Amino acid sequence: MAENKTDTENTGANPILVMLGLAQVGTTERKTVTFGDASAITGSRFWSIVSVVVLIALWFVSAAFEWTDSTFLPSPQSTWAKFYEVFQEGYRNVSLWENIWSSLRRVLYGFGLGCLLGIPIGFAMGLSNTLRGIFDPIVEFFRPIPPLAFIPLFILWFGIGEQSKVLLLFFAAFWVMVIAARSGVLSVKLSKVRAAYSLGASKLQILTYVILPNALPEVFIGMRVALGVCWGTLVAAELIAAQEGLGQMIWVAQKFFLTEIVFFGIILIGVIGVIMDLLLRLLERWLIPWRGKG
Amino acid sequence: MQNLTANNVGMIYKLPNGGSVEALKDVSFDLERGRILTLLGPSGCGKTTLLNILAGFLAPTSGSVSLSGKEIRGPGQDRGMVFQQGALFEWLSVEKNVGFGPNMNGVPVAQTKKIVDDLLATVGLAGFGDKAVYELSGGMQQRVALARCLANDPEVILMDEPLGALDALTREKMQGLILKLWNETGKTIILVTHSVEEALFLGDRLFVMAPRPGRIEREYELPFAKMGLTANVRELKTSPEFIEKREEILSLIWEMEEEIMGSRGEVL
């Protein structure tokens, strides 16, 4: 018994090396060719860590040796100091939290509205020939237009208030959600729907118990894309005479050559974007464990 | 009188180029309650079209089908369906899949639970109720599909190549299960298959269908399904009678395929 245990200890993989992606387990370890083999390319954590460390080190070094003017590339230390200062005292009488919150609020409103209207319309397009006929040309025409192209028009129509910013973000999310919902509905296997009809389900029951859960994985992918696009459009939306918001903060700071604020503003936008995607992914794993297993 | 009957059923599909295809022509039969009928034939012979007409998913262009004297005009719970793999609801557990029909019909929860537990035991999946369907093997998934269809207690069970995606060993076991269910429930079963052996073994009636236009080419009354309930399956399938019938049907289908290839050759 004890011998067996030593055996597995000696022959098993080192868990730390496996976690770092420096050692392989299972058949992958014995594969003679991995080039072009997607199942063998899972990414090496070790090299991820190296790349982040090198990037940050490069920032420190370039600032310490003043490779460029500090107005253009502030040092990590001064960026952190500025971040701490703004975090404590705010910038131009607006606290950092208020800036973050007003940006988040705009994105959530725009994204939420995009889902609220986009998903039902996408569903309708996947369920009816007439509705698909009606909406197809509209969707196909507006979808490729970059949302930013609508800024001048929205200012003209809705002024420079909160409305036009939210509407711009809504516009960014809406088409993505329509298309995701439509393809989610159309991805249902005919045999599933027919099985449900034969089991006595009504049309409404087919919609709620078959079409809807079947479309959820694709709707969720759409939500992740839409939220990303909204967040990415944010800075542009806040070009429209905003008083607060992360994008606006960056724009104003840039005018005064406060590059530190521009830097940590960008980093903050990146971090929040990653966190939002992570939350959606967790939600996805919790809500649709069957994804990709149909 | 609970016969499943087809009267001169014809099906003509229109093509976008203005032409048409005759998928079925003058198909008539009368299937008594409790029989198990297998449909066999080369691709394009209309066997799946016929099954879909009986299920009520397609309306024939001529003729009619009826169950117990009542004309079939749409899908209904009196005719259960079993498809090839992939028709289960992967967002529901095994239990919820089997209980789907009763649930849709508002059967009380406790009663549904009893139906589900009984059926899972019948198909050999007792204790698998709370598993996700994608955790099961292909054979087990088809057991769930059989149980799901039986949960509504249909009069007729229509199976569209239910074992088509299974490996040979699992397939043979499942054939045994289908015969067992047929014997125990006394349901009328129609099963579409590509496998000559399966059609011979499972059908106590067998229609060999021919294409262009799709029609019933030859009919057989067979003893093997009833024998299969008690006899050793391998002995049965290697018996001279079984092999003789198998070769007869194989050469019949082979001739049809040759004919199709020949006529295609002329067109080209």
Side-chain angles (χ1 to χ4, degrees), chain A residues 192 195 198-199 205 209 213 294, chain B residues 81 86 88 90-91 104 148 152:
Chain A
K192 287 193 169 94
S198 283
L199 289 166
Q205 283 173 326
Y209 297 109
Chain B
M81 291 288 300
L88 292 176
E90 64 265 21
W91 46 89
M104 294 301 106
R148 179 176 72 175
N152 267 0

Side-chain angles (χ1 to χ4, degrees), chain A residues 142-154 164-176 226 229-230 232-234 236-237 240:
Chain A
F142 279 99
R143 188 181 57 135
I145 302 176
L148 304 191
F150 290 97
I151 291 182
L153 188 67
F154 283 0
S164 37
K165 297 180 193 67
V166 170
L167 250 130
L168 187 71
L169 296 173
F170 159 76
F171 234 63
F174 178 70
W175 310 111
V176 177
V229 172
C230 275
T233 317
L234 173 78
I240 315 172

Side-chain angles (χ1 to χ4, degrees), chain B residues 174-215:
Chain B
M174 292 295 290
Q175 290 172 353
L177 177 66
I178 289 176
L179 284 186
K180 184 189 121 178
L181 291 176
W182 171 59
N183 184 46
E184 285 176 6
T185 60
K187 305 274 182 218
T188 311
I189 298 177
I190 299 185
L191 185 142
V192 167
T193 179
H194 266 122
S195 155
V196 175
E197 195 197 74
E198 188 166 284
L200 275 174
F201 180 56
L202 293 184
D204 78 334
R205 252 178 110 179
L206 163 63
F207 293 169
V208 178
M209 296 182 67
R212 306 171 175 224
R215 63 194 186 273

Side-chain angles (χ1 to χ4, degrees), chain A residues 126-163:
Chain A
L127 293 169
S128 148
N129 262 325
T130 311
L131 292 172
R132 170 126 186 228
I134 291 170
F135 285 111
D136 250 348
I138 305 173
V139 172
E140 295 306 329
F141 179 74
F142 279 99
R143 188 181 57 135
I145 302 176
L148 304 191
F150 290 97
I151 291 182
L153 188 67
F154 283 0
I155 292 178
L156 206 63
W157 283 354
F158 308 106
I160 54 173
E162 208 60 20
Q163 241 180 0

Side-chain angles (χ1 to χ4, degrees), chain A residues 278-289:
Chain A
L278 213 67
L279 287 177
L280 267 184
R281 265 202 277 181
L282 283 177
L283 197 66
E284 186 180 19
R285 205 178 303 166
W286 178 62
L287 278 175
I288 31 181

Side-chain angles (χ1 to χ4, degrees), chain B residues 18 26 31 49 54 58 60 66 68 91 94 98 114 131 137 140-141 157 167 170 172 180-181 188 190 217-218 257:
Chain B
D26 280 337
L31 188 67
T49 299
L54 293 168
L58 294 174
S66 55
S68 309
W91 46 89
V94 167
V98 177
K114 188 172 178 324
K131 281 260 189 296
S137 68
M140 287 161 107
Q141 289 185 6
I157 302 176
D167 65 89
T170 313
E172 194 143 278
K180 184 189 121 178
L181 291 176
T188 311
I190 299 185
E217 176 76 9
R218 202 170 297 177
E257 296 272 5

